[in-house]
Amino acid sequence: MAHALVFVLAPEGALPGDGAAWADLLAAQRLGVGSGIALRMFRTATPPELSLDELVASGQANVSGADPFEPLRTDPCQEDPIPSAEAGPVRRLICDAVVPHLEPRCLWLGAYELNGEELQGSTGHPVDRLAITSIRCLDQFSLRDADNETCWFYPTENGDYLCWENQRSLELSPGYPADPCIQEQSIPYERSDLRLLWSLMADDQALTCVGLTYQTRRIEWPVTASDPEPFATWTSFRVDSMADDNYRETSSITVFPG
């Protein structure tokens, strides 16, 4: 028998109890988080070779979020990685993330143990790696009661950067801690091992909830459906640890499909 730990975010009263089916966990999760933001950040030369205005005017910084210094890509819904950003002496792409919109005041978290036979050769989400025979509810509580931890989401290394942001509707699967996510022993779950992550996002005046960790491992929330807005915002900014304001935005432009 193998075991796996998964988490569900849902409104109060919507979390299933013991004996739930996997479909019940999926349905509850769909009620919890429905939107988020796709975020990409690129290093640029210091000083930048081209201004953000010039990159937008030439069509290089476009709605797709592709590296603006690479050949043009114009599909606003394109979700594939950008392998060219890995090439060359400097890795320009430093962040490619989808940050779900989490509202701790409105959400509860359920922790569940999946039990079943491990499927050989399977990878990814625990549900794809187990033939589930039972689901046990380990815990349910309001996210407002979770222990908090701060992190810095934006770069801290001095330099010039470009940021691309695209709001979108999302559908997520129940979350799970990074590998190893399958265990032979029953799950020794402790609520105190959960942390709610809060981060300053650019020049936000308040902290933003950007995710959770369990036993210091980030909880992954696989995206099963994503519907991007047809526009995106590019921002150029500078990080300077010696300045009064460490983060300084130099330009921000919203772009639409050409």
Side-chain angles (χ1 to χ4, degrees), residues 3-7 109 126 129 149 175-183 187-190 192-197 210-221:
H3 311 268
L5 178 64
V6 298
F7 299 96
L109 183 135
R129 301 172 61 177
E149 191 170 289
Y176 66 97
D179 283 339
C181 62
I182 303 292
Q183 301 180 191
I187 302 294
Y189 168 82
E190 294 289 343
S192 59
D193 288 334
L194 276 163
R195 294 289 187 277
L196 194 60
L197 296 181
V210 294
L212 296 99
T213 62
Y214 184 71
Q215 294 179 343
T216 72
R217 292 177 294 162
R218 186 172 180 84
I219 297 175
E220 304 289 344
W221 305 90

Side-chain angles (χ1 to χ4, degrees), residues 48-146:
E49 298 165 354
L50 294 171
S51 70
L52 178 57
D53 290 52
E54 291 171 319
L55 290 170
V56 170
S58 67
Q60 291 169 256
N62 58 50
V63 72
S64 75
D67 186 336
F69 300 101
E70 292 293 328
L72 295 183
R73 184 188 298 174
T74 57
D75 181 358
C77 299
Q78 196 157 349
E79 298 287 345
D80 58 316
I82 311 173
S84 57
E86 300 281 350
V90 177
R91 184 173 185 266
R92 285 192 296 265
L93 179 66
I94 59 169
C95 174
D96 188 1
V98 175
V99 183
H101 289 149
L102 302 180
E103 292 291 344
R105 292 171 298 175
C106 307
L107 293 175
W108 278 55
L109 183 135
Y112 298 88
E113 182 183 65
L114 307 183
N115 305 298
E117 295 298 325
E118 185 171 4
L119 302 174
Q120 297 303 314
S122 297
T123 60
H125 198 290
V127 74
D128 298 322
R129 301 172 61 177
L130 285 176
I132 300 174
T133 56
S134 65
I135 297 177
R136 184 163 66 101
C137 181
L138 304 175
D139 196 9
Q140 294 184 5
F141 67 98
S142 170
L143 272 189
R144 290 176 297 184
D145 299 331

Side-chain angles (χ1 to χ4, degrees), residues 7-30:
F7 299 96
V8 174
L9 292 170
E12 182 178 1
L15 289 169
D18 277 334
W22 178 250
D24 299 325
L25 271 58
L26 286 173
Q29 179 62 58
R30 281 195 291 269

Side-chain angles (χ1 to χ4, degrees), residues 138-249:
L138 304 175
D139 196 9
Q140 294 184 5
F141 67 98
S142 170
L143 272 189
R144 290 176 297 184
D145 299 331
D147 290 333
N148 299 304
E149 191 170 289
T150 56
C151 64
W152 182 248
F153 205 83
Y154 267 54
T156 56
E157 183 178 335
N158 287 349
D160 290 271
Y161 301 86
L162 288 174
C163 174
W164 169 87
E165 299 175 72
N166 173 242
Q167 301 284 343
R168 55 193 55 202
S169 61
L170 295 175
E171 187 174 300
L172 307 179
S173 288
Y176 66 97
D179 283 339
C181 62
I182 303 292
Q183 301 180 191
E184 293 185 1
Q185 298 81 24
S186 188
I187 302 294
Y189 168 82
E190 294 289 343
R191 183 187 296 185
S192 59
D193 288 334
L194 276 163
R195 294 289 187 277
L196 194 60
L197 296 181
W198 296 85
S199 176
L200 281 170
M201 298 285 283
D203 59 349
D204 283 356
Q205 297 301 308
L207 291 171
T208 300
C209 183
V210 294
L212 296 99
T213 62
Y214 184 71
Q215 294 179 343
T216 72
R217 292 177 294 162
R218 186 172 180 84
I219 297 175
E220 304 289 344
W221 305 90
V223 177
T224 57
S226 177
D227 184 16
E229 293 283 359
F231 54 87
T233 299
W234 282 94
T235 303
S236 60
F237 65 95
R238 176 169 297 165
V239 175
D240 184 354
S241 58
M242 302 300 291
D244 291 337
D245 294 322
N246 291 351
Y247 169 95
R248 184 167 68 86
E249 183 178 303

